[in-house]
Amino acid sequence: MKEKRTKSVKIRLLDSEFEQLQQTKQCSELATWMRETCLNKKAKRRNPPPPVDPLLLRQLAALGNNVNQIARQCNSKLEPTDALEVLVRLDAIETFLKKLRDDHASKIS
């Protein structure tokens, strides 16, 4: 049976101290980072990450670049015809994502 944490420690911090801890932590949760740091104990992953095909990662990186280009266009003042082009690109990305998801799902199952 897995041991449960039942004890808590409450400390008071200045806003600046809390912000410093948030910036210093090396994982997503402050409590996990504090346990690892203060108790010199690495947290175990609950579930190992699933293996990912390097080709899929490259395709996702390319997609991220496209989304960044679209965001840049959206942040500038768009003319109606430019807005239409943005919508067309977003639709193309959505189609690409659906195909990518389907291809990846078929390789897993």
Side-chain angles (χ1 to χ4, degrees):
M1 185 170 168
K2 186 177 176 183
E3 188 177 4
K4 287 192 171 194
R5 290 187 173 95
T6 58
K7 302 293 182 190
S8 65
V9 176
K10 183 176 180 176
I11 62 170
R12 296 189 185 279
L13 301 169
L14 297 172
D15 287 342
S16 60
E17 292 170 326
F18 180 75
E19 192 57 40
Q20 184 179 359
L21 287 175
Q22 290 288 13
Q23 291 176 3
T24 305
K25 69 182 181 178
Q26 297 175 355
C27 60
S28 61
E29 293 194 27
L30 184 57
T32 302
W33 175 77
M34 290 178 78
R35 264 188 236 100
E36 289 176 359
T37 302
C38 296
L39 300 174
N40 197 20
K41 197 177 188 183
K42 278 286 182 196
K44 295 179 184 173
R45 283 188 76 103
R46 292 184 185 163
N47 298 319
V52 178
D53 181 0
L55 177 61
L56 175 63
L57 290 177
R58 282 193 296 278
Q59 290 173 329
L60 289 173
L63 182 64
N65 289 336
N66 288 341
V67 170
N68 283 336
Q69 290 172 3
I70 290 171
R72 272 190 226 107
Q73 286 184 3
C74 289
N75 287 331
S76 64
K77 296 185 181 186
L78 293 178
E79 298 295 321
T81 55
D82 294 331
L84 180 61
E85 182 166 340
V86 169
L87 289 174
V88 168
R89 286 189 186 188
L90 284 173
D91 185 56
I93 289 173
E94 182 180 23
T95 302
F96 178 75
L97 273 176
K98 285 179 183 175
K99 181 184 179 320
L100 199 57
R101 187 180 318 122
D102 294 342
D103 289 350
H104 187 64
S106 68
K107 287 180 183 177
I108 291 175
S109 44

